[in-house]
Amino acid sequence: MQLQETCIHAVLRKSCQVIFHLNLIFILATMSDGAEETFNAVELDGGQAKSSNVDMKAQHTVEASKPLPQAEERTAPSIPSAPDVPKSQEKANRWVNAVDQFKVKRFFVLRPGTLDHAIDDIKALVNQEEDGPINNIWLMAEVDHWNNEKERLVVLTENTLLICKYDFVMFNCEQVQRVPLHYVDRIIHGSFCFPQHSLLKREGEGMRIFWDRLREPAFSSRWNPFTMDYPYCTFTYHPVRSISDRFSTLCDLETFREQLAATAERALERKPLAGRANGVLTLNQPILIEAYVGLMSFISNQNKLGYCLARGNIGF
C-alpha cells in the first residue's frame, strides 16, 4: 500500500514536470514568434521609412529640375527687323562700295599733308588790310553755267569771299576770284533744276551767291564755258565729304551758308550801299542752270575733269 502511494506520487511529479516543461516550451515558442513579428514589423517600418525618404528625395530632385516660374517681364515693343538681303544683292553692294572707295581714294586732296599744304598756300594769298582776318575755309565743288563741276577752295574773310582754283598735284594756286562781301545781296539754296526741254539732270542740293542783282550776263557770256563775267557763283558738295569727319566739316554747305550770310551782314553795316536796306536775303528755292544739251558737261563730270585725280598712265 505504501509502495503504491509512492508510485502514484512519483507519477504525479513526473506529470507535473512534463506539464511544466510543456507550458515553458509553449511560452518560449509564443515569445519567439512575437519577437520575430516585432522584428519584422520594425524592419518593415524602417524599409517604408527608407523608401519614403528615397521618394521624398526623388520628389525634391524632380521639383528642383523643373524650371521655376519666371515673373512676367515688360517687353519693349518689337521693332520690325530689316528684310533679309539675298547673298547676290549683298555681294553686289559690297562690290559697289569697293568701287566707290577706290574712286574716292583717287582724289589728290586726300593724300596725307596735301590739304594742309594747300590751306597754308591760300592763307599766304590773303591780304590782311584789304580782305581782313580769315574766318573759315571750305572745300567745295563749283557748278558753272554749263553744269561743269570744278574743285574749289573757298576762303571767307571779314571783307571778302575768295574762290580759289588750286592744283593739288603741283601745289599751286592757279586762279583767285575776289568777291567783296558788302556786294552780296542774295543767297539761295535748294535742289537743282533745268529748263523744260533740257536733256540734263543733276541730283543733290547746292547754293548760289548773287552779288549784283542789276547786271545780267551778256549773250556772249552764256555761250562761253570759260567766262568769269557771271554775277553769281554756284556751289555743291565735294565728292569726298563723307570720307571722314574733317572733310565732312570742310564740305558742309549749310555751315558755309550761315557764316557767309552773317559775315556779309556785318560787311554791309560797315560799308552800306544804296538800295540795300533789306540786307542779305536768304531764300530756299530751286537753283536754275540754263543748259540744254550738255555734252561737254556730261563728259567732264563723268570723268571728274574738274578735279585733281590720279588718272593712271595715259599713253603707251
Side-chain angles (χ1 to χ4, degrees):
M1 193 66 184
Q2 188 176 0
L3 180 59
Q4 187 178 2
E5 290 178 359
T6 303
C7 292
I8 291 172
H9 286 295
V11 171
L12 289 174
R13 283 198 303 270
K14 291 290 184 183
S15 298
C16 290
Q17 289 178 358
V18 170
I19 292 171
F20 176 77
H21 288 354
L22 290 174
N23 290 332
L24 182 61
I25 291 171
F26 178 78
I27 292 171
L28 290 175
T30 305
M31 290 179 63
S32 63
D33 292 338
E36 184 178 0
E37 290 176 1
T38 303
F39 176 77
N40 291 335
V42 172
E43 186 176 4
L44 181 60
D45 292 338
Q48 291 179 354
K50 288 181 182 179
S51 62
S52 63
N53 290 335
V54 172
D55 294 339
M56 290 296 292
K57 289 182 180 179
Q59 184 177 1
H60 285 306
T61 304
V62 172
E63 290 179 357
S65 62
K66 291 181 180 180
L68 294 175
Q70 297 180 355
E72 295 183 358
E73 298 179 356
R74 296 181 179 178
T75 58
S78 60
I79 301 175
S81 58
D84 295 336
V85 181
K87 292 184 178 180
S88 58
Q89 184 68 25
E90 185 178 356
K91 290 182 179 179
N93 294 337
R94 191 182 308 168
W95 172 253
V96 170
N97 293 334
V99 172
D100 291 340
Q101 290 179 4
F102 172 74
K103 290 181 179 179
V104 169
K105 289 181 180 179
R106 295 170 59 196
F107 288 87
F108 273 95
V109 72
L110 298 178
R111 303 296 172 90
T114 302
L115 182 61
D116 296 331
H117 194 288
I119 291 175
D120 293 339
D121 291 345
I122 295 299
K123 287 181 178 179
L125 299 176
V126 176
N127 189 345
Q128 295 293 331
E129 296 180 0
E130 181 182 355
D131 302 324
I134 298 175
N135 289 344
N136 212 333
I137 298 178
W138 287 272
L139 179 65
M140 295 291 171
E142 183 181 5
V143 182
D144 65 5
H145 60 290
W146 275 35
N147 195 35
N148 295 306
E149 290 185 11
K150 302 174 182 179
E151 193 172 34
R152 294 292 183 263
L153 280 174
V154 182
V155 183
L156 178 63
T157 67
E158 280 296 322
N159 302 323
T160 310
L161 178 68
L162 286 82
I163 305 171
C164 305
K165 178 183 178 182
Y166 191 86
D167 186 357
F168 291 99
V169 179
M170 301 302 296
F171 297 105
N172 180 36
C173 185
E174 299 178 349
Q175 178 184 320
V176 178
Q177 182 181 4
R178 276 184 166 87
V179 180
L181 288 180
H182 64 283
Y183 285 166
V184 176
D185 53 21
R186 185 163 40 119
I187 300 173
I188 64 174
H189 61 95
S191 58
F192 294 98
C193 66
F194 293 88
Q196 183 178 0
H197 300 290
S198 176
L199 302 178
L200 298 176
K201 183 179 180 181
R202 171 178 287 276
E203 298 180 355
E205 296 183 350
M207 62 175 289
R208 178 171 289 176
I209 307 167
F210 295 87
W211 55 79
D212 192 354
R213 69 176 68 181
L214 300 178
R215 181 169 62 90
E216 290 291 333
F219 178 80
S220 59
S221 298
R222 295 178 184 273
W223 294 97
N224 183 7
F226 306 104
T227 185
M228 301 288 297
D229 195 29
Y230 268 75
Y232 59 80
C233 60
T234 309
F235 295 103
T236 187
Y237 292 104
H238 196 284
V240 301
R241 69 186 180 100
S242 60
I243 198 68
S244 66
D245 293 339
R246 184 189 182 189
F247 282 95
S248 178
T249 304
L250 284 171
C251 305
D252 191 359
L253 205 63
E254 183 177 356
T255 306
F256 173 48
R257 183 182 73 245
E258 294 174 354
Q259 293 190 17
L260 175 62
T263 309
E265 290 284 356
R266 294 196 301 266
L268 185 60
E269 292 177 359
R270 291 192 300 268
K271 297 179 180 181
L273 296 176
R276 297 286 306 280
N278 294 330
V280 181
L281 297 179
T282 302
L283 305 175
N284 184 4
Q285 63 184 27
I287 302 173
L288 177 63
I289 301 177
E290 292 181 328
Y292 291 88
V293 179
L295 179 61
M296 177 180 174
S297 65
F298 175 79
I299 298 174
S300 176
N301 295 337
Q302 287 295 322
N303 296 279
K304 295 290 188 294
L305 297 181
Y307 299 89
C308 293
L309 265 71
R311 305 185 186 278
N313 296 326
I314 300 177
F316 301 96

